Amino acid sequence: FSQIINNYMDGTQEGARDKASPSGLHFRDSKRKVDYVLAYHYRRRLARHSPGAASPEPTRGSASVALVLNGGTGKRSAEPQQQQQQDDGQHALWEWPGLPGMEAVELSPLDALEEERRLQREEYERNLLEAGLEIEKDPENKSQGLSFVRIHAPWQVLSREAELLKIKMPTKKMYEITEEKGILKTLNEIWCKLTEPLQPQVPRQENTKMKNLSYPFSREKTYLYNIKDKDTFFDNATRSRIVREILKRTSTKARNSMGIGTLIANNVYDAAYPLHDGDYEGQNDDMNERKLLYQEWARYRVFYKFQPIDLIRKYFGEKIGLYFAWLGLYTEFLIPSSVVGIIVFLYGCITIESDIPSKEMCDQRNAFTMCPLCDKFCDYWNLSSACATARASHLFDNPATVFFSIFMALWATMFLEQWKRLQMRLSYFWDLTGLEEEESCLVLVFFQEHPRPEYETKLLQKKLKSKNITMENSNENEKQKLTWSDRMPGYAANFGLILFMIMLTFSAVFGVIVYRITTAAALSFSTNETTRSNVRVIVTATAVILNLVVVLILDEIYGAVAKWLTEIEIPKTERTFEERLILKAFLLKFVNSYASIFYVAFFKGRFVGRPGRYVYVFEGYRMEECAPGGCLMELCIQLSIIMLGKQLIQNNLFEIGIPKLKKLLRKLKDERTELKEVDTNQSKDPQQWDLDYILEPFTGLTPEYMEMIIQFGFVTLFVASFPLAPLFALLNNIIEVRLDAKKFVTELRRPDTVRAKDIGIWYNILSGIGKLSVIINAFVIAVTSDFIPRLMYQYVYSQNGTMHGFINHTLSYFNVSQLKAGTQPENSLFAQEVSFCRFKDYREPPWSPHQYEFSKQYWAVLSARLAFVILFQNLVMFLSVLVDWMIPDIPKDISEQIKKEKTVLVDFFLKEEHEKLKLIESFIARDKRKRRSGTKSRRTRAASFSQCHRSPKGSFTSFSSQHTVV
């Protein structure tokens, strides 16, 4: 440990924190970078002494026990040994060897727990030192407070771990990137010139036509890499990633804990995080990557600019970089779909005056006397009173919506195909090609995926239980693992609770339905004419808002429940945990968000019955019916309010407010703890690790992806009923990109960089939603809208091939004398005596032998609807497969560059090996020449000596001359 300096600071040194690095990013020597920070709360023991103990207990930070390691290591002279500790509220007895008067100290359970945590920290930090890391600690010179452990990885550790982790680093070799030729090159140049004002002002590669050849780092081949400065060769993100890997696999003997995750779970440490690169809005002129990201990416005023994806990836890692690249592409793809949606909406506005069914419904001369909407208290009414609803329905229920549905299905396919191409392009430029093979090889050869702390705890409990019961060999215990029988309670709880949550969602939807029915009945009793005439509007508006509130509340509950259900399954690794959590959360939130929309689209008004034989709930309330213009308008209102409400309230207000609230509460808690005792050595200016600790910890990308996936469902699943959905999604995402950016740069601690080749299971979910949208839109057009009935009337039943008479064709007759007793309107104010009323359905008239049974037109329209669903689904699926086949997953230029990179890599290593071989051959040849020269000189020397022996007189001369030659 001779290289470790200032590991523990002496608590008696005044102004220790004042000597901290001015930037807050280095050790106190202002040379070594802080690559990682561990934070923990400590509490000095308030122990009661045994009768033989006279002196107070020494504390860390006091002059007698403080450690100062300058070039070496030290151990505390007073190392407690726990003699007895019970968890039933009794005190624990600790011995302090070597200190007079401190032979026995009686500790309270709280002090004993704190002592155990302190010992675990010391053991863990010693193990980190043995792993080669360098540590700097704050003095613990208060009764309680927050302390930080700063970690630095020297070059030897970085190079060793980079080789083990197979981190690709750029070599000295550069090769030319083949550019597109012909018209594509011209179009690309024009596009670059047009979008120049939209580009963020961030540093770019000087020569974009050249690319560094990357190769996994090797200590034996350091001559291949362009290592100008060992301190900056590995960037900050790579350094923190390497340190995190060491922290995750460094274990302690106490409680058999493996890694920093277990220690945080056991409250030994509070947090572990890498540092941000400095302040993001300071007054100084020092520019860092965080400040650059804030200025060019994380502010609302730069909403029109492209995202600096390469800088995002460099600062936050590949996984977060891929998320923002996906979000950016999705937002760009919403632009054409929004334009087409606006055109479809405008088409409805333009053709509303020429729509014959709407005219017939609004014509006062067509006296369509409709049956009462409720029993006893509702009167007969004229269809012309629903004119406004019919005209509004035409805005979304017109032939253009069929085209738009086909367009959006192909749009979803093209979006996914384009994402695969962009993903492959980013993988090439970010040196992620072959990542899966490298990681699988790495796991098999060097490491195993680190198990989660909960898995380790459960496994330890199983080992202890097995040891107590069976007294098996310890080696056999170490090989134990959790089996399906250990997880069976968790699986059973998952199945039961997920089923319960889905039923809870359906119950909430049913509750809103009951609210609609009862409120409509109650308002129908009102004596106010205005209230009675607007019953449907009032009920629809209030029910949708109530449903939105229920959806938002259940969404938050389901997120917490999904996490808890995944935890009781006890997944072994973080990757498995994340995938299972995503599936559960998506299932619950999908059902919660779309249950009410599915009801309005496919179930509302289907089980009403007919006059004289209505379907009742709760012995007197009729099932609700669709509006005279159909349920499509109500579906549009339901979809728009839920979509906009979720985006404005949940996605934006919650994302802004909750992190700020948590940050404020954490700051107030720390300040309340610190105020109890003023630290005389506390620095006036907080350091970077202090500022980052106050920030909200990063908990993963699952919430970010989830809200976008649910929005993608709103855009694609029911787009036939709401063509403006892509427009509202686009407006939301323009804000969402900057909101997420600001949250990552200013509100969250810096996440650990994670390498990822793709977006994982989210792509499969997107693909599934895209395929499901084809089926749902087919049923919305065929079942919910009037597109098929209108088509059938125009080409089958109309006498002149026009839509004249369509409304009369869709209305059936009912003899009012056949109404059940007590259901007839009381005190009817209708202007004329009513013998027959009309209701919307295809049924036989009262004068038919099969009165009120489904007519032939009903079965013909039903057959046409089913035929349309089959035709629409197969046509769109075929077109989607065709688009998928026509667009290759890997761009041609990227495919060629990958092949070229492999060839250049082989040639580069062959050249290096050839040069090494030449160098070896030159050494061998030089050695041979030396040997030949030595042999010749020895022969000459031998001849000279022989001549000396033959001629004694000239011996001296001969010897001296030979010596001169040598």
Side-chain angles (χ1 to χ4, degrees), residues 388-556:
T389 306
R391 291 172 66 86
S393 297
H394 178 73
L395 298 176
F396 306 102
D397 189 1
N398 55 69
T401 57
V402 180
F403 159 76
F404 190 55
S405 300
I406 299 174
F407 171 80
M408 289 303 296
L410 299 179
W411 172 88
T413 303
M414 292 186 67
F415 165 64
L416 294 177
E417 289 301 313
Q418 187 62 28
W419 167 245
K420 285 194 289 187
R421 290 168 63 84
L422 177 60
Q423 192 172 252
M424 198 65 207
R425 189 177 294 277
L426 293 176
S427 296
Y428 166 70
F429 284 105
W430 292 354
D431 298 319
L432 298 174
T433 52
L435 178 63
E436 294 177 353
E437 293 81 1
E438 292 174 9
E439 287 185 342
S440 59
C441 178
L442 185 66
V443 170
L444 290 173
V445 176
F446 295 105
F447 309 108
Q448 293 181 346
E449 266 195 286
H450 303 291
R452 299 178 64 250
E454 293 80 1
Y455 180 87
E456 286 184 333
T457 304
K458 187 72 175 179
L459 187 61
L460 179 60
Q461 292 174 355
K462 181 181 178 181
K463 288 179 179 180
L464 294 176
K465 184 178 179 181
S466 175
K467 186 175 181 180
N468 291 335
I469 295 176
T470 63
M471 299 300 291
E472 292 179 347
N473 194 323
S474 61
N475 293 330
E476 294 178 358
N477 284 332
E478 290 177 358
K479 297 178 182 178
Q480 284 183 342
K481 61 180 181 180
L482 297 183
T483 59
W484 66 269
S485 59
D486 299 316
R487 292 191 172 97
M488 184 54 66
Y491 291 151
N494 268 262
F495 178 78
L497 281 175
I498 288 176
L499 192 62
F500 171 76
M501 291 296 170
I502 293 175
M503 295 306 297
L504 178 63
T505 303
F506 292 156
S507 301
V509 174
F510 183 71
V512 175
I513 295 171
V514 172
Y515 166 81
R516 289 171 183 265
I517 296 172
T518 54
T519 306
L523 293 178
S524 299
F525 304 156
S526 175
T527 57
N528 190 335
E529 182 65 26
T530 306
T531 303
R532 283 190 298 175
S533 60
N534 295 308
V535 167
R536 192 180 296 276
V537 176
I538 295 172
V539 169
T540 301
T542 56
V544 170
I545 294 174
L546 176 63
N547 190 71
L548 173 62
V549 173
V550 172
V551 167
L552 293 177
I553 293 173
L554 290 181
D555 234 20
E556 298 301 318

Side-chain angles (χ1 to χ4, degrees), residues 154-304:
W155 169 258
Q156 293 81 359
V157 175
L158 293 173
S159 58
R160 179 192 72 207
E161 297 297 322
E163 183 175 0
L164 293 177
L165 295 172
K166 295 186 178 295
I167 297 177
K168 284 187 175 181
M169 301 301 296
T171 62
K172 297 177 182 178
K173 177 66 177 177
M174 300 186 71
Y175 65 95
E176 186 177 1
I177 299 175
T178 306
E179 291 185 341
E180 298 175 340
K181 298 180 181 179
I183 189 172
L184 292 177
K185 181 180 180 181
T186 306
L187 292 174
N188 188 38
E189 291 176 352
I190 294 173
W191 174 253
C192 290
K193 290 181 180 179
L194 292 176
T195 58
E196 184 65 29
L198 306 179
Q199 298 294 337
Q201 302 300 316
V202 297
R204 304 180 190 174
Q205 186 178 346
E206 296 180 358
N207 191 356
T208 57
K209 297 181 180 180
M210 303 294 291
K211 183 179 182 296
N212 280 95
L213 184 66
S214 296
Y215 185 73
F217 187 80
S218 173
R219 287 175 291 179
E220 296 179 354
K221 297 183 174 64
T222 52
Y223 57 87
L224 298 178
Y225 307 96
N226 190 17
I227 306 177
K228 297 179 181 179
D229 186 358
K230 291 183 177 180
D231 292 334
T232 58
F233 178 68
F234 297 103
D235 58 18
N236 292 343
T238 306
R239 296 174 69 99
S240 64
R241 177 192 167 199
I242 289 174
V243 174
R244 179 72 180 186
E245 287 295 326
I246 298 175
L247 294 177
K248 285 164 68 176
R249 70 169 188 261
T250 301
S251 60
T252 58
K253 294 179 181 179
R255 295 191 179 182
N256 294 327
S257 62
M258 170 63 79
I260 187 64
T262 307
L263 295 176
I264 292 177
N266 294 333
N267 296 319
V268 178
Y269 290 100
D270 291 341
Y273 52 90
L275 292 180
H276 279 292
D277 280 359
D279 196 4
Y280 60 88
E281 54 180 0
Q283 300 297 327
N284 56 357
D285 297 330
D286 296 336
M287 181 60 68
N288 55 64
E289 291 181 351
R290 187 188 187 192
K291 182 182 291 187
L292 192 60
L293 283 171
Y294 177 74
Q295 293 180 355
E296 296 295 327
W297 179 53
R299 293 192 295 179
Y300 295 110
R301 68 180 66 176
V302 294
F303 72 92
Y304 60 91

Side-chain angles (χ1 to χ4, degrees), residues 327 330-331 334 708 711 729-737:
L327 181 58
Y330 172 50
T331 305
L334 285 172
M708 288 295 104
Q711 185 202 84
L730 173 64
L731 296 177
N732 174 80
N733 285 10
I734 292 174
I735 301 173
E736 180 72 24
V737 171

